[in-house]
Amino acid sequence: MRHPLIPLCFLSLCFALANALHFYLDANEKRCFIEELPTDTVVEGHYRALEWSEAQQNYVKDEELGIHVEVEEVDTGEIVVKTKGPSDGRFTFTSHDSGDHSICLSTNYTSWFSSTHIRLYLDIVVGKTKASAEHDRAHVSEMASKIRDLNQKLEDIRREQQYQREREADYRNLSEATNSRAVWYSVVQIVVLVGTCAWQLRHLKRFFEDRQMR
């Protein structure tokens, strides 16, 4: 059984990378890849296997075909992932330590005499380094502090608006009272003016009547 090691790519700490390829293997063959990863890095893989059909002379999907996925830390020998899935599936893992990781895929066909040929498509996405729990808690605390400050500012704005509404109501009441007094003052002035005119006319009338009698 062959175990070829094919390096895919090196991880960038700042951006997520996607590696897509396809390769061929026999039914009893295992194909391994090496991926260098930092600590606490999320890796997602998607595979799709097609089996050669002599009748159709093409690679087709076989429901009985299954894929074994095994991920191992090369330095420590620790098995990170060991799973069996359908011919079209996904796997996800997080690196525990930095260093090379071996990603191996094989079929569920175990017969040494099987002549089945498989075309396997593999897409590996290496994500950003996962933030630590302490970093998450610090970030949540910072966000909570900002939210409290924002709520305090909103409360101050609400109180200021309420104070402005009360001042506006007081000013409106004062304006209405002033306008009412101005109207009554004008009415009194008119009454006084009319009374003064009537008294003067009466006085002038008597004055002219007295002169005519003389």
Side-chain angles (χ1 to χ4, degrees):
M1 183 180 298
R2 293 177 296 172
H3 298 278
L5 299 179
I6 305 175
L8 298 179
C9 65
F10 293 98
L11 175 70
S12 171
L13 291 177
C14 300
F15 301 96
L17 302 178
N19 308 313
L21 73 159
H22 76 273
F23 51 90
Y24 301 89
L25 71 161
D26 295 331
N28 57 354
E29 184 182 359
K30 178 186 289 187
R31 186 64 59 89
C32 296
F33 303 88
I34 294 295
E35 186 75 21
E36 184 178 2
L37 302 171
T39 305
D40 291 333
T41 301
V42 179
V43 179
E44 296 180 359
H46 174 216
Y47 60 85
R48 183 168 63 93
L50 301 177
E51 183 177 342
W52 175 257
S53 172
E54 292 291 344
Q56 302 183 28
Q57 291 294 302
N58 195 9
Y59 287 94
V60 297
K61 184 176 181 180
D62 187 353
E63 298 296 337
E64 296 182 358
L65 177 61
I67 300 297
H68 294 275
V69 180
E70 183 175 327
V71 180
E72 177 183 356
E73 291 184 356
V74 177
D75 295 337
T76 62
E78 179 184 356
I79 302 298
V80 181
V81 173
K82 188 173 184 179
T83 182
K84 175 185 175 182
S87 60
D88 190 341
R90 298 178 180 271
F91 62 92
T92 303
F93 68 92
T94 301
S95 60
H96 300 159
D97 296 317
S98 61
D100 292 337
H101 288 66
S102 173
I103 304 174
C104 298
L105 296 98
S106 60
T107 69
N108 59 343
Y109 296 153
T110 58
S111 174
W112 288 92
F113 302 101
S114 175
S115 59
T116 303
H117 298 286
I118 306 298
R119 175 190 286 174
L120 188 60
Y121 295 88
L122 179 62
D123 184 13
I124 296 179
V125 178
V126 181
K128 295 182 178 180
T129 302
K130 184 177 64 176
S132 63
E134 293 182 0
H135 180 272
D136 292 339
R137 285 194 294 269
H139 180 67
V140 170
S141 299
E142 182 181 357
M143 292 298 296
S145 177
K146 290 182 179 180
I147 291 174
R148 284 194 298 268
D149 293 341
L150 181 59
N151 289 334
Q152 184 62 39
K153 291 180 180 179
L154 291 175
E155 184 64 22
D156 293 340
I157 292 174
R158 189 191 66 80
R159 285 197 296 266
E160 180 65 23
Q161 289 178 340
Q162 181 65 26
Y163 174 70
Q164 293 296 334
R165 284 194 292 267
E166 292 175 356
R167 288 192 59 186
E168 181 182 356
D170 294 339
Y171 179 75
R172 183 172 58 252
N173 294 335
L174 179 61
S175 298
E176 292 176 354
T178 302
N179 293 335
S180 178
R181 285 194 294 269
V183 170
W184 283 110
Y185 179 73
S186 299
V187 171
V188 171
Q189 283 185 321
I190 293 173
V191 171
V192 171
L193 182 61
V194 171
T196 303
C197 292
W199 180 82
Q200 289 180 346
L201 289 174
R202 184 177 179 183
H203 177 73
L204 290 174
K205 181 179 180 182
R206 288 181 179 180
F207 174 76
F208 285 116
E209 286 179 352
D210 291 342
R211 292 200 55 175
Q212 288 177 359
M213 291 177 62
R214 293 177 184 178

